[in-house]
Amino acid sequence: MVKGAFMTLAERIQKLLSEAEQGLVERESILRLLFLAVLTHQSTYLYGRAGSGKRSVISHMLAGFKDLNVQTYGRRSFNLPTNPANIVIFTSFDSGFPPMTSAIHAVLDEHLAHELILSGRLRPDASLSQAGISDSIHLVVSFPDTVSPNALKDLLSDAGDPANFSISEELKISQSEVAKWSEEIEKVQISNDSLIILKAIAAECERSNVYISASRWRGLAKMARAQAFFSGRSETSVSDLLFLSEDLWGKRATSEAIRKGYTDGMHEFLNAYAPDPEDLRKTTQELLISAEHYKNSNGNRYKTITINGEEYISYSITVFNEPISLFAPLSRVGTHEDFHPLNALHHEETRAKCNFMGGDVCKISIDSKAKRNGMRASSIMQNNSSASNANPIYEDYAKLPSEILQTNDPQIMEQNKLGLQDAHEKLYEVISQSLQSLKSLKALYTSNSEFQNDPFLPMRPYKSYMDLILKRYKALSSFCKELQQYEAAITQASTDIQ
């Protein structure tokens, strides 16, 4: 960019980060996250083996600021500042070294730093707990142990020399700017879409009995707000929460709960734009079965009993000299779908399958083990783990007629006509919803494509996020084609029943 040309804040931060990344190989995302942590005052532990690049990342980050009051401590002296420093850094963090842990507690308890950075090679889950600061350190950033083969060439060239970088003076961030931006960041609104993700994480943490302090929740929200602010937005988007999918929490249980909550929240968020095609497929299948029932039941009134508010047809069979009662739902008459009937206890009987074969004769198939040994004996066998895991083999057992009380009942015929029309209307609603959802997903993908140049956007989670939207779009698009075929079939059935 030509010197003196106007830059937006997003462009300035992006250029600053690009210059700060020089000489860092496969540590760029860590650098950006550390910048964001410093700008939002989130205490951070940089965890990695000796030589993994922790010192270089810290050095490059500090070079992006000016007028910094930085206090760095190793293992020898802990003369803490009397006035709050901008950044306090403890290198070679050792949770078993009381002078160091006491100094860290003093910095935290007495607010002697706007930002605290720990750097070390002790595992965070054990060391932070031992030091008694696991709830005070908001982010744990892990450095990779290896360098990928594709990055090896850069590592062994001048491009991989951490000392080979410089940051333009006009890009550096002053402390007055940090203070001003902090006030502006607090004005950024947390969007409803973002709240879906955060609430899902909170729910999973509650289920998993994982504690997240109020200060950490506020810190996470501030990081999301900051990402939106530095990208020129007054409200957060889901893209500003993508960093939550990373392992940044130090404790395994916390990481698993947050990751699970994030995944659940992302699923709920996408469902708000477009229902899961699998859920729509189940709904459609139920409508098709219902339509087939109304079309093929021929207006007959059958002898039924009511179980849990639904009408069932009763059948009796004998298996290995045992009398067995089975109950098939009236709504399945006239269909071609296999289903499990209810047993005498009104529970689903998985050792039997029924199929009305498009009419009102019920074909009953029995699990081969139950057929050979009897239902009681097979029930005992089913409790055996190895037996229950095996896929049952069903053998045809009987074809039993349904007891008809009246044929061509005008009331039933009218119910069938209205039921088929209702199924057609509901299917049309599903089709309309699916087509509208396709438009919503396309708009969501397009709008989020504009975020790919956001300064603090984590690229790996972003790619996964965009792939998730695209996958949902393709699945829904494919399902819409199926729906149009189903609509034609129900429309024809509605014509036939006139």
Side-chain angles (χ1 to χ4, degrees):
M1 181 172 291
V2 179
K3 185 174 182 180
F6 173 77
M7 281 190 292
T8 64
L9 179 59
E11 290 170 339
R12 175 189 167 187
I13 298 298
Q14 185 69 274
K15 188 171 177 60
L16 167 64
L17 294 172
S18 296
E19 291 187 3
E21 288 172 354
Q22 298 173 52
L24 299 178
V25 178
E26 293 189 337
R27 304 294 185 269
E28 298 90 342
S29 61
I30 293 177
L31 174 71
R32 289 180 181 245
L33 186 61
L34 183 59
F35 256 105
L36 185 62
V38 170
L39 288 168
T40 55
H41 307 311
Q42 304 306 307
S43 52
T44 304
Y45 177 37
L46 302 181
Y47 163 65
R49 294 184 177 182
S52 59
K54 301 186 294 297
R55 189 181 300 274
S56 296
V57 167
I58 292 174
S59 173
H60 284 229
M61 179 275 295
L62 294 177
F65 293 88
K66 53 187 175 182
D67 306 325
L68 270 182
N69 177 7
V70 181
Q71 300 292 324
T72 302
Y73 301 97
R75 292 177 57 87
R76 294 187 178 182
S77 175
F78 299 102
N79 295 320
L80 299 179
T82 55
N83 296 316
N86 297 125
I87 301 177
V88 169
I89 302 171
F90 288 87
T91 62
S92 303
F93 167 65
D94 185 352
S95 58
F97 186 46
M100 177 177 284
T101 57
S102 296
I104 293 173
H105 276 282
V107 171
L108 290 169
D109 297 341
E110 299 174 27
H111 306 289
L112 298 180
H114 297 305
E115 168 66 10
L116 172 65
I117 299 175
L118 309 181
S119 172
R121 49 185 172 179
L122 296 180
R123 294 185 62 85
D125 48 354
S127 60
L128 295 179
S129 294
Q130 182 184 14
I133 56 174
S134 56
D135 293 324
S136 300
I137 302 301
H138 291 178
L139 297 177
V140 175
V141 183
S142 298
F143 283 65
D145 293 335
T146 60
V147 176
S148 69
N150 293 334
L152 191 59
K153 180 179 178 181
D154 288 338
L155 181 68
L156 300 179
S157 67
D158 288 343
D161 183 359
N164 188 22
F165 84 105
S166 62
I167 297 178
S168 304
E169 194 64 28
E170 66 271 15
L171 297 177
K172 293 182 179 181
I173 301 170
S174 69
Q175 291 311 294
S176 60
E177 287 179 311
V178 172
K180 178 183 176 182
W181 293 342
S182 293
E183 295 178 0
E184 295 298 320
I185 287 171
E186 292 301 327
K187 298 177 184 178
V188 175
Q189 297 296 310
I190 300 294
S191 68
N192 290 331
D193 287 345
S194 299
L195 281 174
I196 290 175
I197 307 293
L198 293 174
K199 287 180 179 179
I201 292 174
E204 182 58 34
C205 288
E206 185 176 31
R207 282 192 294 269
S208 303
N209 198 28
V210 168
Y211 172 71
I212 296 182
S213 65
S215 61
R216 178 175 280 190
W217 276 119
R218 287 192 291 267
L220 297 179
K222 188 170 184 179
M223 290 180 69
R225 286 188 169 104
Q227 290 187 72
F229 171 74
F230 288 114
S231 301
R233 296 189 294 274
S234 60
E235 184 180 62
T236 62
S237 74
V238 168
S239 67
D240 299 317
L241 295 173
L242 296 179
F243 71 96
L244 294 174
S245 66
E246 303 280 61
D247 186 0
L248 302 172
W249 320 112
K251 291 183 179 180
R252 178 179 174 183
T254 304
S255 295
E256 290 177 351
I258 291 180
R259 192 179 300 113
K260 174 66 164 55
Y262 170 87
T263 301
D264 292 345
M266 189 63 72
H267 185 75
E268 183 180 348
F269 160 71
L270 282 181
N271 283 348
Y273 282 83
D276 190 327
E278 286 305 312
D279 293 338
L280 290 175
R281 185 171 278 106
K282 291 178 183 177
T283 300
T284 303
Q285 191 63 31
E286 292 171 359
L287 288 173
L288 291 173
I289 292 173
S290 179
E292 190 177 30
H293 161 71
Y294 289 124
K295 179 177 182 294
N296 295 334
S297 58
N298 297 322
N300 296 333
R301 184 180 293 277
Y302 300 93
K303 183 180 179 180
T304 62
I305 65 170
T306 302
I307 301 175
N308 297 327
E310 185 176 357
E311 290 186 271
Y312 285 79
I313 300 175
S314 174
Y315 302 94
S316 295
I317 60 174
T318 301
V319 179
F320 211 73
N321 295 323
E322 295 177 45
I324 304 297
S325 295
L326 299 175
F327 302 92
L330 177 63
S331 60
R332 293 287 185 163
V333 170
T335 69
H336 290 84
E337 295 291 324
D338 288 337
F339 61 92
H340 294 299
L342 301 185
N343 58 25
L345 297 176
H346 298 170
H347 298 157
E348 186 179 71
E349 182 52 79
T350 58
R351 291 167 296 174
K353 275 189 176 181
C354 294
N355 192 315
F356 279 105
M357 304 178 294
D360 56 12
V361 174
C362 185
K363 182 180 74 172
I364 300 175
S365 303
I366 302 295
D367 184 344
S368 59
K369 292 185 178 66
K371 188 175 180 181
R372 290 195 306 268
N373 304 301
M375 298 294 262
R376 288 194 182 92
S378 67
S379 179
I380 296 174
M381 294 174 62
Q382 198 173 45
N383 291 330
N384 182 285
S385 60
S386 60
S388 62
N389 289 333
N391 292 325
I393 299 174
Y394 294 92
E395 298 179 4
D396 291 349
Y397 191 80
K399 294 181 180 179
L400 302 180
S402 305
E403 185 175 349
I404 299 175
L405 299 179
Q406 181 181 346
T407 60
N408 299 321
D409 184 321
Q411 183 180 0
I412 299 297
M413 293 177 69
E414 181 64 19
Q415 288 177 1
N416 290 342
K417 178 180 177 180
L418 295 176
L420 188 59
Q421 291 173 349
D422 182 63
H424 181 215
E425 291 172 1
K426 288 181 178 178
L427 183 64
Y428 182 77
E429 291 175 3
V430 172
I431 293 174
S432 299
Q433 180 187 21
S434 299
L435 293 176
Q436 181 58 47
S437 296
L438 278 177
K439 295 179 182 178
S440 298
L441 282 175
K442 184 176 181 179
L444 180 66
Y445 188 89
T446 301
S447 63
N448 279 269
S449 296
E450 299 174 358
F451 300 155
Q452 58 185 320
N453 293 321
D454 289 358
F456 295 106
L457 184 70
M459 292 310 298
R460 184 175 61 182
Y462 173 71
K463 184 179 183 303
S464 298
Y465 168 57
M466 297 297 282
D467 287 345
L468 195 63
I469 299 175
L470 190 59
K471 182 180 178 181
R472 176 70 64 94
Y473 180 87
K474 290 180 177 178
L476 192 58
S477 179
S478 175
F479 180 63
C480 283
K481 296 177 182 178
E482 295 178 33
L483 281 177
Q484 292 171 355
Q485 297 174 358
Y486 296 149
E487 184 193 26
I490 291 187
T491 301
Q492 181 61 46
S494 299
T495 304
D496 293 343
I497 205 171
Q498 299 296 331

